Amino acid sequence: LQDICMLGLHVVLAVDRAGLVGEDGETHHGVFDIGFLSQAPNMRILCPVSLDEQRDMLRWAVQEQNGPVAIRYPRGGDRSYTQSDWDGTNMVKGHKEGTNVAVVTYGTLLENAMDAAALLSEQGIDAGVIRLLSVHQVPEQQLTDTLQKYETIVIVEEAATGSGIREKVAWMLSREGNNHRVFGLDLGQEYVTHGNVNALYAHHGLDANSIAKYVKEVLKVEN
């Protein structure tokens, strides 16, 4: 806060172990950092989805950015999505168009969101999937333009309750005056224990099946 952001210094924070880290345990899960880093004025927080995107973000942060940047990346390597969508300007990526609901996420949780959308499609629900490349500052105009056609929005994040972006996005959309309904899934308020990452996803309702089930419940409530 004082030594970097107050002075607007060009410092790049490489934040290892974003999200769930499995057997490293509850002391190492990176599920609180967005909450405290986003309180710092002038800070940028980037969330790569792949190793290629991580390299592009690091290169941009070092060579082209002037102020403080935190790049939070997960333990391990690529999941199914391996390309980079980072160009330094576009902070919102639409991975799938939809009509009934938008699932918004960031980082490597994209894979679970895409799998959930595929499951929903099999049941006649057309879910769009949108990924944020930057979670602070949240790119307000890009995000509201992307989400304006959706009445129902479900934000899925690998973060502790209150340490993510759900409330920020809901507040942002409410100022637009549109009739959006914003819901969310996260890891809850308790410390997450150790365990296989996929098992932890399932336990906390962030695997594809749980996300699809939650979206169906949300749509049923609204209708």
Side-chain angles (χ1 to χ4, degrees):
L1 281 168
Q2 299 174 11
D3 298 331
I4 299 174
C5 294
M6 186 179 289
L7 302 175
L9 297 182
H10 181 201
V11 175
V12 179
L13 304 178
V15 185
D16 188 28
R17 284 169 165 74
L20 298 177
V21 297
E23 287 79 0
D24 281 358
E26 59 191 83
T27 57
H28 283 58
H29 295 302
V31 300
F32 299 106
D33 54 292
I34 292 175
F36 63 78
L37 285 171
S38 63
Q39 297 180 61
N42 303 318
M43 179 65 73
R44 295 283 297 275
I45 307 175
L46 307 181
C47 299
V49 71
S50 67
L51 291 173
D52 277 350
E53 193 164 86
Q54 179 181 328
R55 281 189 288 267
D56 288 345
M57 286 180 173
L58 281 167
R59 187 177 296 110
W60 174 86
V62 171
Q63 297 179 354
E64 300 183 41
Q65 176 69 355
N66 291 318
V69 185
I71 302 176
R72 54 190 313 273
Y73 51 91
R75 175 189 179 192
D78 284 329
R79 300 188 76 188
S80 60
Y81 193 82
T82 59
Q83 70 187 62
S84 172
D85 300 302
W86 180 254
D87 63 6
T89 60
N90 186 18
M91 309 296 170
V92 181
K93 169 69 177 179
H95 288 270
K96 180 183 177 299
E97 287 289 328
T99 55
N100 301 124
V101 61
V103 177
V104 179
T105 191
Y106 49 87
T108 54
L109 202 58
L110 171 68
E111 179 171 313
N112 295 16
M114 291 293 290
D115 289 345
L119 291 172
L120 290 166
S121 180
E122 294 173 0
Q123 301 171 61
I125 298 173
D126 188 15
V129 178
I130 292 99
R131 178 172 66 95
L132 296 182
L133 287 73
S134 172
V135 294
H136 184 76
Q137 306 283 334
V138 173
E140 183 166 349
Q141 195 60 55
Q142 291 182 23
L143 188 59
T144 54
D145 287 348
T146 303
L147 294 177
Q148 63 180 346
K149 71 174 185 177
Y150 295 100
E151 180 181 348
T152 306
I153 297 161
V154 176
I155 299 173
V156 180
E157 45 189 340
E158 210 169 328
T161 301
S163 293
I165 63 169
R166 175 172 55 190
E167 292 83 0
K168 185 182 299 183
V169 171
W171 171 246
M172 184 186 302
L173 293 171
S174 72
R175 290 187 300 177
E176 292 292 305
N178 296 322
N179 192 30
H180 297 291
R181 294 177 180 265
V182 181
F183 301 85
L185 282 171
D186 57 31
L187 292 166
Q189 293 181 311
E190 301 298 323
Y191 288 100
V192 178
T193 187
H194 72 281
N196 175 272
V197 170
N198 288 329
L200 292 175
Y201 281 146
H203 179 72
H204 289 277
L206 291 178
D207 63 306
N209 286 317
S210 299
I211 295 170
K213 180 181 178 182
Y214 181 78
V215 170
K216 287 167 60 180
E217 292 172 353
V218 163
L219 293 174
K220 183 178 179 180
V221 168
E222 291 190 342
N223 293 332

